[in-house]
Amino acid sequence: MIRTQNLTRRFTLKKETVEAVRGIDVDVQPGELVAFLGPNGAGKSTTLRMLTTLLPPSAGTAEVAGFDVVRDPVEVRRRIGHIGQGNGSLDGLRMNEELTIQGRFHGLDRTTARARAAELLDRLDLSEQADRDVARLSGGQRRRLDVAMGLIHRPRLVFLDEPSAGLDPHSRANLLEHIRRLHRDDEVTIVLTTHYLDEADAVAERVVVIDNGRIIADGTPDQLKSKVSGDLVTVALAENDDSGAARDVASRVPTAHDVEAGDSRLSFRVENGDAVLPDVVRALDSAGITLRSAQVKRPTLDDVFLTLTGRSLRDDD
Amino acid sequence: MALLTSIAPVFERELRSKVRTPWPYIEALADPLLLLVLFAPLVAGLGDVPGLPDTDTIQWFVPGMLVLMVFTTAAFIGSGLQEERQAGSMERMLVTPVSRFALLMGRVLRVMAIVVVQSVVVVAVTVPFGLQVHLDGMLVAVVQLAVLAAALGIASLAVGLVLKNAYAFWGVIAIFYTPIIVTSGALLPMDLAPGWLHAISRVNPLAHVVEAQRTLFAGEFGHSSIILGFLVAGVVAAVGAVVGTRAMRRLSL
Ligand SMILES: Nc1ncnc2c1ncn2[C@@H]1O[C@H](COP(=O)(O)OP(=O)(O)OP(=O)(O)O)[C@@H](O)[C@H]1O
Ligand SMILES: [Mg+2]
C-alpha cells in the first residue's frame, strides 16, 4: 500500500533550513493499522502531506496505493482518503451538502453521492445533524464529518492526522471505535498520527515512532515495550529511614536494575515483575521493613520513547 | 468535459454557501443604489461640466455604479480562498481528483452569476427613475460586466494565493481601493482631472469598462470604447488566470 525510500523534506525559512523529515523508509502492507507516534514538530504531518500529494518531497520517493506521489498525484488522490489535522468543512454549509459535494469531487454522480452520504452519516451517528450548518456542530460531530468526507469514495487506504486532538475523552473513544471498525470490518488500511501514547497503544497494531524527522522505532506495541528491559516495581515504605535497607534488599533480587530509593519510596526494574513481587515483599518483611503498598507497572510507550531518546513524550503535551 | 464535471460541484458549493449568507452581496447591491439616491443629484446639480451630459444624468451615472458594484462583489473573493486555506477545507479538497484550475473557476463562475443577477436588479430598480434601456446594448453590457467580474475575481484569487497572510491581502486591497474607485470615472468624469490624474485613470481597467458601459447604455454600438473595455477586462483575466493557476499548482499546505 505504501512504500517510501529516503523520503525527505526541507523547508527554507529566511535563510534558515528546517529539516522536517530526514529520510524515512517505511512499508505499509494492505490491511495494516499503523500509528505514527512522535512529539510536536517530529515531522508526522509533513510525512503525511507528502504521502497524500499535498507536499512534494525534497528528496526520496513514495509509492502510495500503487502510484508515485510525484508522477501520478491524481491517481493517488483517487485512491486515498485524507483527514487532515484541521477541520475540513466550511462554516455556512450544511453537513450533507459538504459530504455530497465531496462525493462529486470524487466523480460520483449526484444520486450516488447522496446515497453514499446518507449511508456514512448513519454509520457515523450523524443522521440527526444532516441538515445542520457545520458551524453549529460539536467538536466531535465535526471531526466525524471529516472522517465521513474522507471515506465518501470508499478508499482502501485512509490517512488521519491527529484524528482525536482536542476532543473530550468520550468523543475520542467514540471516534477511535469508528476507526477500529473501519479497519476490522472493511479491512481498510489506516495510517494515523498521534502524540497520545495511550491512543497509539490502544488502537494501533503497529507503531512507528518518529522523532526529529527520523524513524527511531517500528513494531507492535508489545515489541516496542520489550525494548524497555523489565517491569517497573514501586514500593511505598512506612518509614523513610528504611530506604537504605530496602535498596539493599532490592539489589539482591535477580535481574533487578535501575534501583532507586528515597522519600519513603523504593523502585526498580525487573523482568517478570508480577512473579517477583511476592518474593520482594517477603524479603522486605523479614528485613523488618514495613510496607504501605506495592505496585507493578508494565512498560508504556512513554518508557519506550524515554529509553530511545532520553526525553519523555509527556513533557510536550 | 472532465473539467466541466469538476467545476460544477465547486460552483455549486460556492453558490450554496453564499446564498445562505447573502449579506455581502446585498451590501454590494445597496451601495450603488445609495450612491444613486445621494450622489447622483449632486452630480446633476453640477450643471455644465466637461464630460457630463446636459440632461439625463442617470443614464450617465448608472453604468458607473454597475462597475463599482462588480468591483465590490468580485475584488475581495481571494480572502475566502485564504480562509479555506487557514481552515482545513482547502487541504481536504486538494486531496481529491478535482483539478486546481476547477477550484478557481468554480469561484469565478459564482461571482459572474451573482453579478448578472445584481445588474438586472439595479437596472430594474432604476428604470422608474428614468433609466432608458436599449435591450441589445444592455445585453452586451451585462456580458461585459460578467467578464469584468471574472477578471477581478481571478485577480483577487491570485492575490489571495500569492499572499498567504490575510493582513497582507487586506493591505493590498486598502492601498488600491481608493485610487481605483476615484480614477474609474464612475463618480465624476475624468475630463475634470489634471493631466497626471487622467494618466492614472488610463491604466485603471475599471475606467475603460466604465466608458464602454456608458456607450452601451446609450445604445451606441460600433464605438471603439466597447472593444477596449472587453480587451482590458480580458487582459486582467488572462494575467490573473496565469498567476492564479501557477500559484495553485505550487500550493502546498
Ligand atoms: N510549511 C512549513 N514551513 C516551514 N516549516 C515547516 C512547515 N511545515 C512544517 N514545518 C516544520 O517542520 C517540522 C515538522 O513539522 P510537522 O508539522 O510535520 O510536525 P508534527 O510531527 O506533525 O507535529 P505536531 O504533533 O505538532 O502536529 C517542524 O519543525 C515545523 O516547524
Ligand atoms: Mg502534525
PDB file of all heavy atoms in Angstrom, chain A residues 9-13 18-21 37-49 55 85 161-162 193-195 210 213, chain B residues 164 252-253, ligand 1:
ATOM      1  N   ARG A   9      12.075  15.973   3.510  1.00  0.00           N
ATOM      2  CA  ARG A   9      11.505  17.291   3.223  1.00  0.00           C
ATOM      3  C   ARG A   9      12.197  18.362   4.041  1.00  0.00           C
ATOM      4  O   ARG A   9      12.313  18.259   5.263  1.00  0.00           O
ATOM      5  CB  ARG A   9      10.016  17.294   3.537  1.00  0.00           C
ATOM      6  CG  ARG A   9       9.336  18.641   3.349  1.00  0.00           C
ATOM      7  CD  ARG A   9       9.225  19.034   1.891  1.00  0.00           C
ATOM      8  NE  ARG A   9       9.172  20.477   1.739  1.00  0.00           N
ATOM      9  CZ  ARG A   9       8.659  21.117   0.678  1.00  0.00           C
ATOM     10  NH1 ARG A   9       8.172  20.433  -0.336  1.00  0.00           N
ATOM     11  NH2 ARG A   9       8.672  22.414   0.628  1.00  0.00           N
ATOM     12  N   ARG A  10      12.662  19.374   3.335  1.00  0.00           N
ATOM     13  CA  ARG A  10      13.282  20.534   3.981  1.00  0.00           C
ATOM     14  C   ARG A  10      12.409  21.746   3.733  1.00  0.00           C
ATOM     15  O   ARG A  10      11.781  21.859   2.687  1.00  0.00           O
ATOM     16  CB  ARG A  10      14.656  20.802   3.349  1.00  0.00           C
ATOM     17  CG  ARG A  10      15.759  19.872   3.797  1.00  0.00           C
ATOM     18  CD  ARG A  10      17.061  20.229   3.105  1.00  0.00           C
ATOM     19  NE  ARG A  10      17.055  19.771   1.725  1.00  0.00           N
ATOM     20  CZ  ARG A  10      17.488  18.562   1.342  1.00  0.00           C
ATOM     21  NH1 ARG A  10      17.961  17.726   2.230  1.00  0.00           N
ATOM     22  NH2 ARG A  10      17.437  18.199   0.081  1.00  0.00           N
ATOM     23  N   PHE A  11      12.367  22.642   4.684  1.00  0.00           N
ATOM     24  CA  PHE A  11      11.723  23.937   4.473  1.00  0.00           C
ATOM     25  C   PHE A  11      12.775  25.012   4.617  1.00  0.00           C
ATOM     26  O   PHE A  11      13.642  24.915   5.482  1.00  0.00           O
ATOM     27  CB  PHE A  11      10.628  24.185   5.512  1.00  0.00           C
ATOM     28  CG  PHE A  11       9.462  23.257   5.404  1.00  0.00           C
ATOM     29  CD1 PHE A  11       9.302  22.214   6.300  1.00  0.00           C
ATOM     30  CD2 PHE A  11       8.517  23.428   4.414  1.00  0.00           C
ATOM     31  CE1 PHE A  11       8.217  21.352   6.204  1.00  0.00           C
ATOM     32  CE2 PHE A  11       7.432  22.570   4.306  1.00  0.00           C
ATOM     33  CZ  PHE A  11       7.282  21.534   5.204  1.00  0.00           C
ATOM     34  N   THR A  12      12.689  26.027   3.767  1.00  0.00           N
ATOM     35  CA  THR A  12      13.631  27.133   3.895  1.00  0.00           C
ATOM     36  C   THR A  12      12.873  28.345   4.408  1.00  0.00           C
ATOM     37  O   THR A  12      11.907  28.791   3.793  1.00  0.00           O
ATOM     38  CB  THR A  12      14.285  27.453   2.538  1.00  0.00           C
ATOM     39  OG1 THR A  12      14.622  26.215   1.931  1.00  0.00           O
ATOM     40  CG2 THR A  12      15.518  28.292   2.719  1.00  0.00           C
ATOM     41  N   LEU A  13      13.301  28.809   5.558  1.00  0.00           N
ATOM     42  CA  LEU A  13      12.663  29.965   6.164  1.00  0.00           C
ATOM     43  C   LEU A  13      13.722  31.044   6.355  1.00  0.00           C
ATOM     44  O   LEU A  13      14.581  30.909   7.217  1.00  0.00           O
ATOM     45  CB  LEU A  13      12.096  29.612   7.540  1.00  0.00           C
ATOM     46  CG  LEU A  13      10.963  28.596   7.632  1.00  0.00           C
ATOM     47  CD1 LEU A  13      10.835  28.106   9.062  1.00  0.00           C
ATOM     48  CD2 LEU A  13       9.669  29.209   7.161  1.00  0.00           C
ATOM     49  N   VAL A  18      14.927  24.163   7.717  1.00  0.00           N
ATOM     50  CA  VAL A  18      14.347  23.238   8.687  1.00  0.00           C
ATOM     51  C   VAL A  18      14.309  21.858   8.050  1.00  0.00           C
ATOM     52  O   VAL A  18      13.712  21.675   6.993  1.00  0.00           O
ATOM     53  CB  VAL A  18      12.911  23.671   9.055  1.00  0.00           C
ATOM     54  CG1 VAL A  18      12.325  22.710  10.085  1.00  0.00           C
ATOM     55  CG2 VAL A  18      12.888  25.094   9.566  1.00  0.00           C
ATOM     56  N   GLU A  19      14.979  20.899   8.665  1.00  0.00           N
ATOM     57  CA  GLU A  19      14.935  19.520   8.165  1.00  0.00           C
ATOM     58  C   GLU A  19      13.752  18.840   8.828  1.00  0.00           C
ATOM     59  O   GLU A  19      13.887  18.249   9.893  1.00  0.00           O
ATOM     60  CB  GLU A  19      16.231  18.793   8.528  1.00  0.00           C
ATOM     61  CG  GLU A  19      17.476  19.475   8.018  1.00  0.00           C
ATOM     62  CD  GLU A  19      17.981  18.836   6.733  1.00  0.00           C
ATOM     63  OE1 GLU A  19      17.405  17.819   6.304  1.00  0.00           O
ATOM     64  OE2 GLU A  19      18.947  19.372   6.163  1.00  0.00           O
ATOM     65  N   ALA A  20      12.587  18.931   8.212  1.00  0.00           N
ATOM     66  CA  ALA A  20      11.376  18.423   8.857  1.00  0.00           C
ATOM     67  C   ALA A  20      11.323  16.896   8.812  1.00  0.00           C
ATOM     68  O   ALA A  20      10.944  16.251   9.782  1.00  0.00           O
ATOM     69  CB  ALA A  20      10.147  19.017   8.192  1.00  0.00           C
ATOM     70  N   VAL A  21      11.673  16.310   7.679  1.00  0.00           N
ATOM     71  CA  VAL A  21      11.669  14.851   7.533  1.00  0.00           C
ATOM     72  C   VAL A  21      13.009  14.449   6.931  1.00  0.00           C
ATOM     73  O   VAL A  21      13.398  14.955   5.889  1.00  0.00           O
ATOM     74  CB  VAL A  21      10.501  14.389   6.632  1.00  0.00           C
ATOM     75  CG1 VAL A  21      10.563  12.888   6.401  1.00  0.00           C
ATOM     76  CG2 VAL A  21       9.161  14.765   7.256  1.00  0.00           C
ATOM     77  N   LEU A  37       3.805   7.858  15.800  1.00  0.00           N
ATOM     78  CA  LEU A  37       3.811   8.477  17.115  1.00  0.00           C
ATOM     79  C   LEU A  37       5.054   9.339  17.257  1.00  0.00           C
ATOM     80  O   LEU A  37       6.150   8.916  16.893  1.00  0.00           O
ATOM     81  CB  LEU A  37       3.813   7.373  18.178  1.00  0.00           C
ATOM     82  CG  LEU A  37       3.956   7.787  19.644  1.00  0.00           C
ATOM     83  CD1 LEU A  37       2.686   8.450  20.138  1.00  0.00           C
ATOM     84  CD2 LEU A  37       4.271   6.575  20.510  1.00  0.00           C
ATOM     85  N   GLY A  38       4.873  10.559  17.778  1.00  0.00           N
ATOM     86  CA  GLY A  38       6.045  11.403  17.975  1.00  0.00           C
ATOM     87  C   GLY A  38       5.649  12.724  18.594  1.00  0.00           C
ATOM     88  O   GLY A  38       4.481  13.099  18.558  1.00  0.00           O
ATOM     89  N   PRO A  39       6.611  13.438  19.169  1.00  0.00           N
ATOM     90  CA  PRO A  39       6.293  14.710  19.819  1.00  0.00           C
ATOM     91  C   PRO A  39       5.980  15.801  18.801  1.00  0.00           C
ATOM     92  O   PRO A  39       6.120  15.589  17.603  1.00  0.00           O
ATOM     93  CB  PRO A  39       7.583  15.040  20.577  1.00  0.00           C
ATOM     94  CG  PRO A  39       8.666  14.340  19.839  1.00  0.00           C
ATOM     95  CD  PRO A  39       8.040  13.099  19.257  1.00  0.00           C
ATOM     96  N   ASN A  40       5.577  16.971  19.271  1.00  0.00           N
ATOM     97  CA  ASN A  40       5.301  18.109  18.388  1.00  0.00           C
ATOM     98  C   ASN A  40       6.519  18.409  17.529  1.00  0.00           C
ATOM     99  O   ASN A  40       7.639  18.402  18.028  1.00  0.00           O
ATOM    100  CB  ASN A  40       4.978  19.372  19.188  1.00  0.00           C
ATOM    101  CG  ASN A  40       3.621  19.292  19.866  1.00  0.00           C
ATOM    102  OD1 ASN A  40       3.496  19.596  21.029  1.00  0.00           O
ATOM    103  ND2 ASN A  40       2.622  18.861  19.145  1.00  0.00           N
ATOM    104  N   GLY A  41       6.263  18.636  16.254  1.00  0.00           N
ATOM    105  CA  GLY A  41       7.352  19.005  15.364  1.00  0.00           C
ATOM    106  C   GLY A  41       8.222  17.853  14.925  1.00  0.00           C
ATOM    107  O   GLY A  41       9.261  18.045  14.293  1.00  0.00           O
ATOM    108  N   ALA A  42       7.796  16.619  15.206  1.00  0.00           N
ATOM    109  CA  ALA A  42       8.602  15.444  14.853  1.00  0.00           C
ATOM    110  C   ALA A  42       8.659  15.222  13.348  1.00  0.00           C
ATOM    111  O   ALA A  42       9.588  14.605  12.841  1.00  0.00           O
ATOM    112  CB  ALA A  42       8.033  14.204  15.530  1.00  0.00           C
ATOM    113  N   GLY A  43       7.639  15.739  12.634  1.00  0.00           N
ATOM    114  CA  GLY A  43       7.591  15.540  11.186  1.00  0.00           C
ATOM    115  C   GLY A  43       6.472  14.610  10.748  1.00  0.00           C
ATOM    116  O   GLY A  43       6.441  14.160   9.609  1.00  0.00           O
ATOM    117  N   LYS A  44       5.521  14.352  11.638  1.00  0.00           N
ATOM    118  CA  LYS A  44       4.423  13.440  11.305  1.00  0.00           C
ATOM    119  C   LYS A  44       3.531  14.021  10.208  1.00  0.00           C
ATOM    120  O   LYS A  44       3.276  13.366   9.202  1.00  0.00           O
ATOM    121  CB  LYS A  44       3.565  13.165  12.556  1.00  0.00           C
ATOM    122  CG  LYS A  44       4.339  12.653  13.751  1.00  0.00           C
ATOM    123  CD  LYS A  44       3.423  12.384  14.924  1.00  0.00           C
ATOM    124  CE  LYS A  44       2.754  13.619  15.501  1.00  0.00           C
ATOM    125  NZ  LYS A  44       3.658  14.546  16.200  1.00  0.00           N
ATOM    126  N   SER A  45       3.073  15.250  10.420  1.00  0.00           N
ATOM    127  CA  SER A  45       2.185  15.858   9.426  1.00  0.00           C
ATOM    128  C   SER A  45       2.897  16.044   8.097  1.00  0.00           C
ATOM    129  O   SER A  45       2.310  15.818   7.036  1.00  0.00           O
ATOM    130  CB  SER A  45       1.681  17.217   9.916  1.00  0.00           C
ATOM    131  OG  SER A  45       0.878  17.058  11.044  1.00  0.00           O
ATOM    132  N   THR A  46       4.149  16.453   8.158  1.00  0.00           N
ATOM    133  CA  THR A  46       4.898  16.656   6.919  1.00  0.00           C
ATOM    134  C   THR A  46       5.007  15.341   6.145  1.00  0.00           C
ATOM    135  O   THR A  46       4.831  15.318   4.930  1.00  0.00           O
ATOM    136  CB  THR A  46       6.295  17.222   7.239  1.00  0.00           C
ATOM    137  OG1 THR A  46       6.125  18.396   8.044  1.00  0.00           O
ATOM    138  CG2 THR A  46       7.043  17.590   5.980  1.00  0.00           C
ATOM    139  N   THR A  47       5.261  14.253   6.852  1.00  0.00           N
ATOM    140  CA  THR A  47       5.312  12.946   6.190  1.00  0.00           C
ATOM    141  C   THR A  47       3.969  12.616   5.552  1.00  0.00           C
ATOM    142  O   THR A  47       3.891  12.225   4.388  1.00  0.00           O
ATOM    143  CB  THR A  47       5.681  11.847   7.214  1.00  0.00           C
ATOM    144  OG1 THR A  47       6.899  12.220   7.853  1.00  0.00           O
ATOM    145  CG2 THR A  47       5.842  10.507   6.547  1.00  0.00           C
ATOM    146  N   LEU A  48       2.900  12.820   6.312  1.00  0.00           N
ATOM    147  CA  LEU A  48       1.568  12.521   5.788  1.00  0.00           C
ATOM    148  C   LEU A  48       1.253  13.396   4.575  1.00  0.00           C
ATOM    149  O   LEU A  48       0.657  12.942   3.602  1.00  0.00           O
ATOM    150  CB  LEU A  48       0.526  12.767   6.887  1.00  0.00           C
ATOM    151  CG  LEU A  48      -0.366  11.573   7.200  1.00  0.00           C
ATOM    152  CD1 LEU A  48       0.462  10.372   7.558  1.00  0.00           C
ATOM    153  CD2 LEU A  48      -1.350  11.895   8.309  1.00  0.00           C
ATOM    154  N   ARG A  49       1.667  14.658   4.623  1.00  0.00           N
ATOM    155  CA  ARG A  49       1.383  15.551   3.499  1.00  0.00           C
ATOM    156  C   ARG A  49       2.107  15.117   2.243  1.00  0.00           C
ATOM    157  O   ARG A  49       1.582  15.260   1.144  1.00  0.00           O
ATOM    158  CB  ARG A  49       1.777  16.977   3.854  1.00  0.00           C
ATOM    159  CG  ARG A  49       0.762  17.580   4.777  1.00  0.00           C
ATOM    160  CD  ARG A  49       1.042  19.017   5.042  1.00  0.00           C
ATOM    161  NE  ARG A  49       0.046  19.498   5.967  1.00  0.00           N
ATOM    162  CZ  ARG A  49       0.299  20.321   6.962  1.00  0.00           C
ATOM    163  NH1 ARG A  49       1.530  20.770   7.118  1.00  0.00           N
ATOM    164  NH2 ARG A  49      -0.652  20.706   7.759  1.00  0.00           N
ATOM    165  N   LEU A  55       2.336  17.847  -0.605  1.00  0.00           N
ATOM    166  CA  LEU A  55       3.640  18.476  -0.489  1.00  0.00           C
ATOM    167  C   LEU A  55       4.648  17.638  -1.277  1.00  0.00           C
ATOM    168  O   LEU A  55       4.742  16.444  -1.052  1.00  0.00           O
ATOM    169  CB  LEU A  55       4.015  18.469   0.997  1.00  0.00           C
ATOM    170  CG  LEU A  55       5.031  19.438   1.538  1.00  0.00           C
ATOM    171  CD1 LEU A  55       4.537  20.857   1.368  1.00  0.00           C
ATOM    172  CD2 LEU A  55       5.251  19.143   3.024  1.00  0.00           C
ATOM    173  N   GLN A  85      -5.214  17.594   9.763  1.00  0.00           N
ATOM    174  CA  GLN A  85      -5.137  17.981  11.171  1.00  0.00           C
ATOM    175  C   GLN A  85      -6.201  19.027  11.521  1.00  0.00           C
ATOM    176  O   GLN A  85      -6.674  19.089  12.638  1.00  0.00           O
ATOM    177  CB  GLN A  85      -3.725  18.511  11.482  1.00  0.00           C
ATOM    178  CG  GLN A  85      -3.401  18.554  12.954  1.00  0.00           C
ATOM    179  CD  GLN A  85      -1.901  18.666  13.242  1.00  0.00           C
ATOM    180  OE1 GLN A  85      -1.070  18.658  12.342  1.00  0.00           O
ATOM    181  NE2 GLN A  85      -1.553  18.783  14.495  1.00  0.00           N
ATOM    182  N   ASP A 161      -4.711  12.582  10.299  1.00  0.00           N
ATOM    183  CA  ASP A 161      -3.697  13.340  11.028  1.00  0.00           C
ATOM    184  C   ASP A 161      -4.286  13.825  12.347  1.00  0.00           C
ATOM    185  O   ASP A 161      -5.184  14.662  12.355  1.00  0.00           O
ATOM    186  CB  ASP A 161      -3.231  14.527  10.174  1.00  0.00           C
ATOM    187  CG  ASP A 161      -1.893  15.083  10.647  1.00  0.00           C
ATOM    188  OD1 ASP A 161      -1.398  14.616  11.693  1.00  0.00           O
ATOM    189  OD2 ASP A 161      -1.357  15.977   9.973  1.00  0.00           O
ATOM    190  N   GLU A 162      -3.816  13.295  13.428  1.00  0.00           N
ATOM    191  CA  GLU A 162      -4.303  13.632  14.772  1.00  0.00           C
ATOM    192  C   GLU A 162      -5.829  13.617  14.825  1.00  0.00           C
ATOM    193  O   GLU A 162      -6.446  14.632  15.139  1.00  0.00           O
ATOM    194  CB  GLU A 162      -3.820  15.037  15.164  1.00  0.00           C
ATOM    195  CG  GLU A 162      -2.347  15.222  14.945  1.00  0.00           C
ATOM    196  CD  GLU A 162      -1.571  15.298  16.243  1.00  0.00           C
ATOM    197  OE1 GLU A 162      -2.192  15.321  17.307  1.00  0.00           O
ATOM    198  OE2 GLU A 162      -0.335  15.311  16.154  1.00  0.00           O
ATOM    199  N   THR A 193      -1.699   9.599  12.724  1.00  0.00           N
ATOM    200  CA  THR A 193      -0.638  10.166  13.555  1.00  0.00           C
ATOM    201  C   THR A 193      -1.241  10.548  14.890  1.00  0.00           C
ATOM    202  O   THR A 193      -2.440  10.826  14.988  1.00  0.00           O
ATOM    203  CB  THR A 193      -0.024  11.447  12.958  1.00  0.00           C
ATOM    204  OG1 THR A 193      -0.960  12.507  13.128  1.00  0.00           O
ATOM    205  CG2 THR A 193       0.298  11.273  11.505  1.00  0.00           C
ATOM    206  N   THR A 194      -0.430  10.533  15.903  1.00  0.00           N
ATOM    207  CA  THR A 194      -0.924  10.906  17.223  1.00  0.00           C
ATOM    208  C   THR A 194       0.259  11.257  18.100  1.00  0.00           C
ATOM    209  O   THR A 194       1.377  10.829  17.846  1.00  0.00           O
ATOM    210  CB  THR A 194      -1.729   9.748  17.851  1.00  0.00           C
ATOM    211  OG1 THR A 194      -2.215  10.167  19.119  1.00  0.00           O
ATOM    212  CG2 THR A 194      -0.891   8.495  18.031  1.00  0.00           C
ATOM    213  N   HIS A 195       0.019  12.105  19.106  1.00  0.00           N
ATOM    214  CA  HIS A 195       1.028  12.165  20.137  1.00  0.00           C
ATOM    215  C   HIS A 195       0.467  11.714  21.478  1.00  0.00           C
ATOM    216  O   HIS A 195       1.056  11.935  22.512  1.00  0.00           O
ATOM    217  CB  HIS A 195       1.772  13.511  20.209  1.00  0.00           C
ATOM    218  CG  HIS A 195       0.901  14.700  20.317  1.00  0.00           C
ATOM    219  ND1 HIS A 195       0.905  15.681  19.370  1.00  0.00           N
ATOM    220  CD2 HIS A 195       0.015  15.068  21.242  1.00  0.00           C
ATOM    221  CE1 HIS A 195       0.041  16.608  19.716  1.00  0.00           C
ATOM    222  NE2 HIS A 195      -0.512  16.268  20.850  1.00  0.00           N
ATOM    223  N   ILE A 210       8.420   8.371  15.537  1.00  0.00           N
ATOM    224  CA  ILE A 210       9.177   9.354  14.764  1.00  0.00           C
ATOM    225  C   ILE A 210       9.675  10.431  15.713  1.00  0.00           C
ATOM    226  O   ILE A 210       8.935  10.914  16.570  1.00  0.00           O
ATOM    227  CB  ILE A 210       8.289   9.991  13.677  1.00  0.00           C
ATOM    228  CG1 ILE A 210       7.803   8.919  12.718  1.00  0.00           C
ATOM    229  CG2 ILE A 210       9.047  11.075  12.913  1.00  0.00           C
ATOM    230  CD1 ILE A 210       6.977   9.444  11.573  1.00  0.00           C
ATOM    231  N   GLY A 213      12.250  13.974  12.669  1.00  0.00           N
ATOM    232  CA  GLY A 213      12.236  13.657  11.247  1.00  0.00           C
ATOM    233  C   GLY A 213      12.755  12.286  10.888  1.00  0.00           C
ATOM    234  O   GLY A 213      12.944  11.991   9.711  1.00  0.00           O
TER     235      GLY A 213
ATOM    236  N   LYS B 164      -0.064  34.771   1.465  1.00  0.00           N
ATOM    237  CA  LYS B 164      -0.716  33.780   2.316  1.00  0.00           C
ATOM    238  C   LYS B 164      -1.471  34.446   3.460  1.00  0.00           C
ATOM    239  O   LYS B 164      -2.430  33.924   3.991  1.00  0.00           O
ATOM    240  CB  LYS B 164       0.327  32.829   2.902  1.00  0.00           C
ATOM    241  CG  LYS B 164       0.965  31.984   1.842  1.00  0.00           C
ATOM    242  CD  LYS B 164       1.985  31.052   2.454  1.00  0.00           C
ATOM    243  CE  LYS B 164       2.751  30.370   1.338  1.00  0.00           C
ATOM    244  NZ  LYS B 164       3.945  29.708   1.796  1.00  0.00           N
ATOM    245  N   SER B 252       1.206  24.271  -1.680  1.00  0.00           N
ATOM    246  CA  SER B 252       1.345  23.116  -0.809  1.00  0.00           C
ATOM    247  C   SER B 252       1.041  23.580   0.596  1.00  0.00           C
ATOM    248  O   SER B 252       1.418  24.673   0.989  1.00  0.00           O
ATOM    249  CB  SER B 252       2.745  22.534  -0.917  1.00  0.00           C
ATOM    250  OG  SER B 252       3.684  23.561  -0.933  1.00  0.00           O
ATOM    251  N   LEU B 253       0.330  22.753   1.289  1.00  0.00           N
ATOM    252  CA  LEU B 253      -0.166  23.216   2.589  1.00  0.00           C
ATOM    253  C   LEU B 253       0.594  22.578   3.726  1.00  0.00           C
ATOM    254  O   LEU B 253       1.303  21.631   3.554  1.00  0.00           O
ATOM    255  CB  LEU B 253      -1.643  22.880   2.689  1.00  0.00           C
ATOM    256  CG  LEU B 253      -2.454  23.701   1.708  1.00  0.00           C
ATOM    257  CD1 LEU B 253      -3.578  22.885   1.135  1.00  0.00           C
ATOM    258  CD2 LEU B 253      -3.020  24.924   2.395  1.00  0.00           C
TER     259      LEU B 253
HETATM  260  N1  LIG C   1       5.239  24.956   5.750  1.00  0.00           N
HETATM  261  C1  LIG C   1       6.281  24.908   6.606  1.00  0.00           C
HETATM  262  N2  LIG C   1       7.245  25.823   6.549  1.00  0.00           N
HETATM  263  C2  LIG C   1       8.302  25.767   7.374  1.00  0.00           C
HETATM  264  N3  LIG C   1       8.481  24.853   8.324  1.00  0.00           N
HETATM  265  C3  LIG C   1       7.545  23.897   8.437  1.00  0.00           C
HETATM  266  C4  LIG C   1       6.397  23.878   7.589  1.00  0.00           C
HETATM  267  N4  LIG C   1       5.636  22.817   7.946  1.00  0.00           N
HETATM  268  C5  LIG C   1       6.279  22.208   8.958  1.00  0.00           C
HETATM  269  N5  LIG C   1       7.425  22.851   9.258  1.00  0.00           N
HETATM  270  C6  LIG C   1       8.401  22.461  10.292  1.00  0.00           C
HETATM  271  O1  LIG C   1       8.730  21.103  10.113  1.00  0.00           O
HETATM  272  C7  LIG C   1       8.812  20.420  11.361  1.00  0.00           C
HETATM  273  C8  LIG C   1       7.857  19.245  11.384  1.00  0.00           C
HETATM  274  O2  LIG C   1       6.530  19.716  11.413  1.00  0.00           O
HETATM  275  P1  LIG C   1       5.263  18.757  11.375  1.00  0.00           P
HETATM  276  O3  LIG C   1       4.073  19.622  11.227  1.00  0.00           O
HETATM  277  O4  LIG C   1       5.475  17.708  10.371  1.00  0.00           O
HETATM  278  O5  LIG C   1       5.302  18.131  12.829  1.00  0.00           O
HETATM  279  P2  LIG C   1       4.263  17.158  13.532  1.00  0.00           P
HETATM  280  O6  LIG C   1       5.017  15.946  13.907  1.00  0.00           O
HETATM  281  O7  LIG C   1       3.062  16.976  12.708  1.00  0.00           O
HETATM  282  O8  LIG C   1       3.916  17.967  14.856  1.00  0.00           O
HETATM  283  P3  LIG C   1       2.512  18.147  15.644  1.00  0.00           P
HETATM  284  O9  LIG C   1       2.398  16.993  16.560  1.00  0.00           O
HETATM  285  O10 LIG C   1       2.737  19.417  16.396  1.00  0.00           O
HETATM  286  O11 LIG C   1       1.429  18.239  14.638  1.00  0.00           O
HETATM  287  C9  LIG C   1       8.541  21.470  12.423  1.00  0.00           C
HETATM  288  O12 LIG C   1       9.761  21.924  12.906  1.00  0.00           O
HETATM  289  C10 LIG C   1       7.817  22.555  11.682  1.00  0.00           C
HETATM  290  O13 LIG C   1       8.083  23.810  12.262  1.00  0.00           O
END
